[in-house]
């Protein structure tokens, strides 16, 4: 009897470890209407997709909002951690394992109305001060395209405040989000910066079988038209 009890006690930590290993930590940034806090709730068009995928596959998860640089760093270094919505480009491809797309979007450069800022193309735009966020893919994209007058803030909202306050000339933004934001803010588009899929980026040792289940679930969400309905709920219209 004692031997059986001892054996049972010895096996308990193994079960606990196995259960906790299946819990995924999702991290994201404050970037409404895709992912944002509303009181104690975390909401948004990409948040809802993640929630539906995880409910579909029946795996436990946590969700937290933090500055992008911290979220990105955690997903690179911490097992069972994923960051979203992350632009999937060549520079990032090998850093993570991917579930995508949560959306496919163009990124544009915008300015405040009445600023006098004008650029017919990216070469013209390089003479201006461009604001972006630390470790955001737009910071990498701007540097790759030869922009060197960069003002780097901690998060999207800080960059937007600088633009509206006249402290920077332009900033990159999701075209989907801009379509909604311009109704409430004195902003206008200048030129197109880039186009890219946005997905869930998981730490590179993330289990392949779990990743595959998440991808199958997201594929179903897209094929059924439910992803489109989520975007419409948040006032977002998919671009052609």
């Amino acid at each position: 009897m004692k031997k059986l009890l001892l054996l049972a006690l010895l096996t308990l930590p193994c079960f606990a470890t196995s259960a906790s290993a299946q819990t995924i930590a999702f991290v994201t940034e404050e970037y409404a209407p895709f992912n944002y806090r509303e009181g104690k709730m975390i909401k948004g068009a990409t948040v809802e997709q993640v929630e539906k995928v995880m409910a579909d596959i029946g795996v436990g998860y946590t969700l937290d909002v933090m500055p992008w640089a911290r979220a990105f760093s955690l997903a690179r270094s911490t097992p069972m951690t994923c960051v979203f919505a992350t632009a999937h480009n060549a520079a990032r491809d090998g850093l993570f394992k991917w579930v995508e797309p949560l959306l496919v979007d163009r990124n544009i450069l915008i300015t405040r109305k009445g600023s006098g800022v004008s650029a017919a193309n990216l070469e013209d735009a390089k003479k201006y001060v461009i604001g972006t966020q630390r470790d955001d893919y737009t910071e990498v994209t701007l540097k790759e395209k030869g922009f060197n007058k960069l003002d780097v803030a901690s998060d999207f909202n800080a960059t937007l405040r600088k633009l509206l306050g006249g402290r920077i000339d332009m900033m990159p933004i999701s075209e989907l989000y801009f379509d909604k934001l311009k109704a409430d803010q004195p902003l206008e588009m200048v030129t197109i910066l880039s186009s890219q899929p946005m997905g869930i980026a998981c730490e590179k040792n993330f289990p392949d079988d779990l990743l595959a289940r998440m991808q199958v679930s997201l594929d179903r969400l897209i094929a059924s038209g439910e992803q489109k309905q989520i975007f419409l709920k948040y006032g977002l219209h998919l671009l052609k």
Side-chain angles (χ1 to χ4, degrees), residues 109-112 114-128 130 169-170 188-191:
L109 291 174
I110 63 170
T111 189
R112 66 195 179 283
S115 67
V117 171
S118 176
N121 50 49
L122 293 184
E123 284 303 312
D124 289 346
K126 290 177 183 177
K127 63 187 177 185
Y128 294 104
I130 313 295
D169 299 311
M170 286 187 281
E188 58 188 8
M189 175 180 169
V190 180
T191 191

Side-chain angles (χ1 to χ4, degrees), residues 5-183:
L5 181 60
L6 179 60
L7 180 61
L9 290 172
L10 288 173
T11 57
L12 282 175
C14 297
F15 285 119
T17 301
S18 176
S20 64
Q22 286 296 305
T23 300
I24 303 172
F26 287 102
V27 289
T28 188
E29 65 176 332
E30 187 82 22
Y31 194 84
F34 299 107
N35 16 265
Y36 62 98
R37 287 189 185 277
E38 189 174 277
K40 294 183 179 180
M41 299 289 293
I42 300 175
K43 304 175 65 175
T46 57
V47 171
E48 283 202 22
Q49 292 181 65
V50 169
E51 290 174 337
K52 287 181 180 295
V53 164
M54 298 311 295
D56 183 40
I57 67 173
V59 174
Y61 67 95
T62 61
L63 178 59
D64 199 7
V65 175
M66 60 188 67
W68 181 256
R70 183 183 170 205
F72 189 82
S73 177
L74 280 174
R76 283 202 62 185
S77 60
T78 308
M80 298 301 291
T81 302
C82 304
V83 59
F84 72 94
T86 310
H88 190 170
N89 54 29
R92 289 177 171 177
D93 183 66
L95 300 179
F96 301 101
K97 289 181 178 178
W98 299 86
V99 178
E100 60 189 358
L102 293 175
L103 67 141
V104 177
D105 193 21
R106 290 196 306 184
N107 213 277
I108 60 175
L109 291 174
I110 63 170
T111 189
R112 66 195 179 283
K113 287 183 177 179
S115 67
V117 171
S118 176
N121 50 49
L122 293 184
E123 284 303 312
D124 289 346
K126 290 177 183 177
K127 63 187 177 185
Y128 294 104
V129 176
I130 313 295
T132 185
Q133 295 76 249
R134 186 172 294 105
D135 288 343
D136 189 79
Y137 81 99
T138 55
E139 181 186 11
V140 176
T141 300
L142 287 163
K143 289 178 177 178
E144 288 178 345
K145 292 182 180 294
F147 285 82
N148 52 38
K149 294 183 178 180
L150 299 182
D151 181 287
V152 181
S154 61
D155 57 49
F156 173 85
N157 289 328
T159 302
L160 181 59
R161 286 194 297 270
K162 288 182 180 182
L163 182 68
L164 292 171
R167 295 164 59 192
I168 57 176
D169 299 311
M170 286 187 281
M171 68 175 288
I173 188 174
S174 156
E175 189 172 17
L176 276 170
Y177 183 28
F178 177 66
D179 188 54
K180 182 180 177 70
L181 185 64
K182 67 183 179 183

Side-chain angles (χ1 to χ4, degrees), residues 178-221:
F178 177 66
D179 188 54
K180 182 180 177 70
L181 185 64
K182 67 183 179 183
D184 302 315
Q185 300 287 356
L187 300 166
E188 58 188 8
M189 175 180 169
V190 180
T191 191
I192 296 170
L193 176 63
S194 63
S195 178
Q196 61 285 313
M198 311 286 288
I200 302 169
C202 298
E203 195 268 337
K204 61 183 179 181
N205 293 313
F206 195 86
D208 288 332
D209 59 337
L210 185 51
L211 193 84
R213 291 168 61 195
M214 292 166 64
Q215 185 65 63
V216 168
S217 180
L218 179 60
D219 289 344
R220 283 199 297 261
L221 193 75

